[in-house]
Amino acid sequence: MSLNNATVSQRIVIAVDLDYFFAQCEEVRRPELKDKPVVVCVYSGRTDTSGAVSTANYMARGLGVKSGIPIMTAKKILVKHPEAIFLPVDHEYYDSVSERVMQIVRGTSPLFEQVSIDEAFVDVSSISHSDFDLAGNIAKNLKKEILTEEKLTCSIGVGPNKLIAKMGADYKKPDGLTILPPEKVNSFLKDLPVGKLIGIGAKTEKKMEALGIGTIYDLSNFGANVLAEHFGKNLGPHFKRIAQGIDNDPVSPRPIEQLSRIITLKQDANSFSFEDQIRPLVTDLSKRLQALKLKAKVIGIIAITSELKTKNRAKTLESSTDSYDEILMISRTLFHDFFNSGQDHETNRIRRAGIRVSGLEKTTEEFRKEGVKSEQQGTLTNFLGA
Ligand code: TTP
Ligand code: MG
């Protein structure tokens, strides 16, 4: 009986996507940017303006700037906006913000899957008791917490699976919340153009248009055989299923691979004179490791030079650690070696410094617990099978 209930209970997935992520991170550390067009760029280095736009804030987007366009084009679009700000990407900083946000999202439920730097799914079926109203409240609280803790807005979709949750998150941006219980899925999907379906790119959309498929509704009613003929025997039926809002892909937690913290130094340095500024990073990392019941096999330092070049050094340990003292001691040695190794001290003058721990392993205590868990599961399976 209870097995039956568990089988039929409603799955509820939350999809979180941070708004204009890189550009919003820039606004957080420089609030004066908020009322200006902000364009974050990947400079290729050939000329001052060669490269592409990584992302832009909504003010710049409103004027026509989009991810992927050449920086030159963005400059032309914003030529009448001398207040517009163009900044280079700062991956280390976005990584550390992302990691803190993901920590908040993961706090909702351990059934958490991070899919990109600014996007994650959480399966909240169990903690919401499969109730969409409760799941909506969980989503609202999550938005509030991310805003309070990190001053960032995000858009959230709540749906019966990952596909619908993700489409809900994309539906209203920025700062959106779209709740799609199963009874609302069909009316939500039907009038949207097929190009809005996750997994249908511009090329496929064009091909579908040629077949007379304009909306998701058209696709959901299209003959599976004809779709298979045009898109292949796997993809054709897959497109039809997603147009019907069907997606059985579970939220699959992935192990955390690394944690890092980085700061901008009070002043550029060419020796390890900033240990006081590094200590809080080590405290933070050591606490995070302990909270996650993980230990690091590799301790590394990140040094970003005055010319914004990122340099990394790392040491692999004999046995993994989560200890503040050990992480600090190794970081200290790595920084000393880093500064002493430069032929010319000028090239090792750094503006930003960070610590990264990787090669993360579960603590023995966690392994033991997992062992017990899987034994219990085994017992349950045997019992049900008997
Ligand atoms: P997205 O979530 O796709 O975009 P976004 O967060 O900037 O904007 P939105 O409000 O629509 O969610 O991507 C996350 C980050 O990934 C983005 O801030 C910058 C980076 N990115 C690129 O560098 N190049 C790209 O073409 C895209 C799409 C994203
Ligand atoms: Mg985003």
Side-chain angles (χ1 to χ4, degrees), residues 173-240:
K173 264 186 159 289
D175 203 16
L177 174 60
T178 305
I179 301 173
L180 296 164
E183 64 274 18
K184 291 201 177 151
V185 170
N186 280 342
S187 60
F188 169 75
L189 288 179
K190 78 180 176 29
D191 297 328
L192 293 175
V194 275
K196 290 274 174 193
L197 266 175
I198 308 294
I200 296 202
K203 253 184 165 171
T204 309
E205 189 180 10
K206 269 232 161 93
K207 268 175 114 178
M208 288 200 175
E209 236 169 58
L211 291 170
I213 302 168
T215 63
I216 296 180
Y217 178 79
D218 297 339
L219 178 57
S220 70
N221 281 306
F222 213 78
N225 291 341
V226 189
L227 288 171
E229 250 170 55
H230 285 86
F231 301 100
K233 67 178 188 348
N234 291 326
L235 219 46
H238 167 77
F239 287 152
K240 187 172 168 97

Side-chain angles (χ1 to χ4, degrees), residues 127-193:
I127 54 165
S128 67
H129 307 288
S130 292
D131 175 338
F132 267 84
D133 290 335
L134 273 181
N137 286 338
I138 292 170
K140 277 184 208 152
N141 286 334
L142 186 54
K143 279 170 71 76
K144 224 186 272 170
E145 198 178 345
I146 295 172
L147 187 63
T148 314
E149 297 296 322
E150 296 298 330
K151 303 190 174 60
L152 291 168
T153 64
C154 64
S155 297
I156 294 190
V158 185
N161 55 45
K162 281 161 66 168
L163 169 77
I164 299 300
K166 169 75 182 130
M167 289 186 67
D170 288 348
Y171 185 63
K172 204 168 153 271
K173 264 186 159 289
D175 203 16
L177 174 60
T178 305
I179 301 173
L180 296 164
E183 64 274 18
K184 291 201 177 151
V185 170
N186 280 342
S187 60
F188 169 75
L189 288 179
K190 78 180 176 29
D191 297 328
L192 293 175

